[in-house]
Amino acid sequence: MTTKIILLRHAEKPSADGTVGGVDASGRPNDDDLSVRGWQRAGALARFFAPGGGSLGVPRALYASRPTAEHPSRRAVSTLQPLARWLGLPLNQSFTCGQEPALTQALATDEGVTLVAWDHRGLCRIAQALVGAAAPDHWPAGCFDRYWIFSRDADGWRLAPQPQQLLDGDD
């Protein structure tokens, strides 16, 4: 049974004004991927969630939204790829943006700590499926340095928003 679900937004993306571009893992320009700072965050998250890295527990399941023609962003996948490699875990990309209800059902069947990277709009739908009206109704558009922890107890899920505090300038 899942004891903890951690939701985080994918790491930093290219800027809307074009001054900061995206790059793929090889450094080639790709605006559907992370910015350089986003890749730095992905690496920092890998260290944070690896054994001995933080107090939240080591994830036993990793989920990221699968890119599609309608939503071609690779940012959620790129955010968790370094951690998946580090832990030797598969990165579950069975769900796409818009399939949050099905994803939430799958999350409840995992064991231990589960980590999810997603688009900021879908994070609220996942949270609402877990805790109902107690969930935030939005994730700030420019916020990449927080995560939401959902812990299970006898009464259901409890939400605790937290700052990541991984990179210089984080909240």
Side-chain angles (χ1 to χ4, degrees):
M1 173 186 298
T2 303
T3 57
K4 193 179 298 183
I5 296 172
I6 302 169
L7 301 182
L8 56 90
R9 184 182 183 182
H10 60 72
E12 284 85 344
K13 64 182 187 173
S15 63
D17 66 6
T19 58
V20 175
V23 294
D24 65 17
S26 299
R28 290 185 299 266
N30 183 341
D31 284 340
D32 288 325
D33 219 317
L34 302 174
S35 67
V36 170
R37 182 170 175 87
W39 284 104
Q40 291 171 335
R41 184 171 305 284
L45 285 165
R47 291 291 298 163
F48 182 75
F49 285 106
S55 62
L56 298 176
V58 177
R60 294 179 60 185
L62 303 172
Y63 289 83
S65 55
R66 182 180 72 246
T68 64
E70 187 179 345
H71 300 282
S73 172
R74 292 198 35 80
R75 296 178 195 116
V77 172
S78 294
T79 298
L80 292 186
Q81 274 181 332
L83 177 61
R85 280 193 299 272
W86 186 293
L87 297 176
L89 289 175
L91 181 54
N92 189 322
Q93 299 175 57
S94 299
F95 303 95
T96 62
C97 289
Q99 294 181 321
E100 290 81 10
L103 167 65
T104 305
Q105 288 179 343
L107 295 176
T109 66
D110 289 323
E111 296 289 325
V113 177
T114 299
L115 181 61
V116 178
W118 214 259
D119 175 87
H120 72 284
R121 292 172 297 262
L123 289 171
C124 294
R125 290 189 291 270
I126 298 166
Q128 289 164 357
L130 292 170
V131 297
D137 61 356
H138 76 285
W139 185 289
C143 179
F144 300 94
D145 62 353
R146 301 198 58 80
Y147 54 87
W148 292 340
I149 302 171
F150 296 84
S151 300
R152 188 190 301 259
D153 62 22
D155 296 324
W157 292 100
R158 299 287 177 250
L159 168 60
Q162 298 291 319
Q164 290 179 6
Q165 299 177 327
L166 296 174
L167 300 179
D168 182 47
D170 279 3
D171 184 24

